[in-house]
Amino acid sequence: MLRKALEHNKRQGDDVAIEDLAWIPGGTFRMGSDHHYPEEAPSHLVSVDGFWIDRTPVTNRQFKEFVNATGYVTTAQTVPNPKDYPGALKKMLYAGSLVFSPPQRITDSRDWSQWWSFMKGANWRHPYGPKSNLRELDDHPVVHVSYADALAYAIWAGKDLPTEAEWKFAARGGLEGKEFAWGDALAPGGRHMANVWQGNFPVQNLCEDGFERTSPVNAFTPNGYGVYDMIGNVWEWTSDWWSARHEAVAQKACCIPRNPRSGQENASYDPTLPNVKIPRKVLKGGSHLCAPNYCRRYRPAARHAEPVDTSTSHVGFRCVVRKMGVDDRLEVKARLA
């Protein structure tokens, strides 16, 4: 499918329309945090070159254009290969995706299976199950996309997926050292700045921000770079492999990482599932399901691991365009081999 996306690439070479992109000037900034979840530490300096980024997450309308042009079939629409899931019952291997369903009550807040279910027939066209559709959701972010799905779209569009460092720098919007993408208060003056959960997750959603699930991608104020939805609404894929912690802090200014690509594939596996060797990538931004009482990952520094074969009703993506050299283009093509 990735090869097919390249064959149908609608913007060859450097001929990429930038009217829907925001220019991020690049620079040196502090990545990570020493004050929240352990995987965010240590806080450290990195540098990124300037790049363009989609002003919004990729929408259902945009993804539909891609599918119509290429005939692409997403991971959620494909029956899993039994070889990838040793020990799984055959009757449990069907095309579907994870859908959030709020329970009336829970018995253990650590048991996410009480509010997540792998639903047959759930995919990007049917975000809440086979009986749902995209009516009135054209401007909402596409969901139920795996890493391969996101990468295929990016290649077709003549773009790429952002690194974790690029994503965080863009999310900051020019601010440094602030808790959120807009300052230090989650809802300054009572104004909701992003689509996140209000109430007692997962049983009570007060919808004070106006949305129970996803929201239109431009529903909230953009950040200082003119980029929307970097916080909340949907988690977003990056190209970096997951690591349990950031790399050690550089001891000298000359050693500050430039355009880092962190993590290693063979180190990204979930240690709690030793028999399942499915690598994981870094997600950024949090989603409409992040809540103060459960998951405070609606911050630029926050990060989350996601298996590359997994899709859910709260994960989407956006793309970047770099001033790519020959080596970078070869790297993108190598991923298709």
Side-chain angles (χ1 to χ4, degrees):
M1 280 296 179
L2 290 179
R3 288 185 183 278
K4 192 171 184 179
L6 182 61
E7 291 169 1
H8 286 82
N9 190 321
K10 67 175 181 177
R11 300 181 180 120
Q12 297 292 335
D14 294 317
D15 185 23
V16 177
I18 62 171
E19 60 268 17
D20 295 326
L21 302 171
W23 171 249
I24 310 300
T28 299
F29 69 104
R30 188 160 292 279
M31 187 171 172
S33 172
D34 296 319
H35 307 295
H36 295 280
Y37 296 101
E39 67 270 11
E40 300 173 27
S43 174
H44 61 294
L45 292 174
V46 302
S47 295
V48 294
D49 294 335
F51 60 97
W52 289 270
I53 192 168
D54 287 342
R55 291 187 182 276
T56 72
V58 173
T59 64
N60 286 311
R61 178 184 287 107
Q62 292 170 314
F63 200 77
K64 189 185 304 180
E65 180 186 358
F66 159 61
V67 171
N68 289 343
T70 65
Y72 185 85
V73 178
T74 64
T75 301
Q77 294 170 300
T78 306
V79 178
N81 186 339
K83 294 181 180 179
D84 295 331
Y85 303 92
L89 297 175
K90 187 176 181 179
K91 66 179 181 179
M92 296 300 295
L93 295 177
Y94 49 77
S97 190
L98 285 166
V99 177
F100 172 78
S101 300
Q104 292 185 340
R105 63 183 182 87
I106 60 172
T107 57
D108 183 353
S109 62
R110 296 168 297 181
D111 180 13
W112 55 266
S113 67
Q114 295 174 90
W115 53 88
W116 283 104
S117 60
F118 188 78
M119 189 176 295
K120 187 175 184 179
N123 54 58
W124 76 274
R125 290 188 183 276
H126 307 284
Y128 310 124
K131 295 183 180 180
S132 64
N133 56 54
L134 297 180
R135 191 175 300 119
E136 299 182 357
L137 296 179
D138 274 353
D139 294 324
H140 288 233
V142 64
V143 292
H144 296 296
V145 283
S146 69
Y147 178 77
D149 301 334
L151 182 59
Y153 174 94
I155 291 170
W156 170 77
K159 303 177 182 179
D160 199 1
L161 297 179
T163 65
E164 182 178 3
E166 288 170 337
W167 193 100
K168 188 189 175 188
F169 190 80
R172 282 292 181 196
L175 300 179
E176 180 66 30
K178 298 297 183 181
E179 187 84 348
F180 303 101
W182 48 82
D184 288 321
L186 176 60
R191 181 186 179 190
H192 292 287
M193 304 295 290
N195 180 3
V196 297
W197 186 285
Q198 297 89 45
N200 182 27
F201 182 88
V203 297
Q204 178 195 41
N205 188 352
L206 300 176
C207 300
E208 293 173 347
D209 58 13
F211 301 98
E212 181 180 6
R213 294 186 182 265
T214 61
S215 52
V217 295
N218 59 358
F220 295 88
T221 304
N223 70 8
Y225 289 140
V227 183
Y228 294 82
D229 265 7
M230 294 300 277
I231 300 299
N233 209 0
V234 293
W235 283 98
E236 298 182 14
W237 287 105
T238 73
S239 60
D240 283 10
W241 297 112
W242 172 257
S243 57
R245 288 174 63 84
H246 284 303
E247 296 181 2
V249 179
Q251 298 300 312
K252 299 180 181 179
C254 64
C255 302
I256 294 174
R258 188 176 187 85
N259 299 319
R261 294 181 180 246
S262 63
Q264 297 179 349
E265 179 177 355
N266 60 5
S268 70
Y269 302 133
D270 188 341
T272 66
L273 300 170
N275 295 323
V276 179
K277 301 299 183 181
I278 298 176
R280 298 180 293 172
K281 292 284 187 175
V282 176
L283 296 182
K284 297 289 288 184
S287 79
H288 60 282
L289 302 182
C290 285
N293 74 301
Y294 185 77
C295 173
R296 298 188 69 255
R297 290 186 171 87
Y298 38 60
R299 297 169 291 104
R303 53 205 300 268
H304 185 62
E306 188 80 347
V308 296
D309 69 333
T310 299
S311 61
T312 78
S313 61
H314 74 332
V315 172
F317 69 102
R318 77 178 72 215
C319 304
V320 298
V321 175
R322 304 183 188 92
K323 294 180 177 179
M324 297 204 312
V326 174
D327 290 343
D328 297 303
R329 293 191 183 281
L330 289 175
E331 180 184 339
V332 171
K333 291 182 179 180
R335 281 188 254 170
L336 303 179

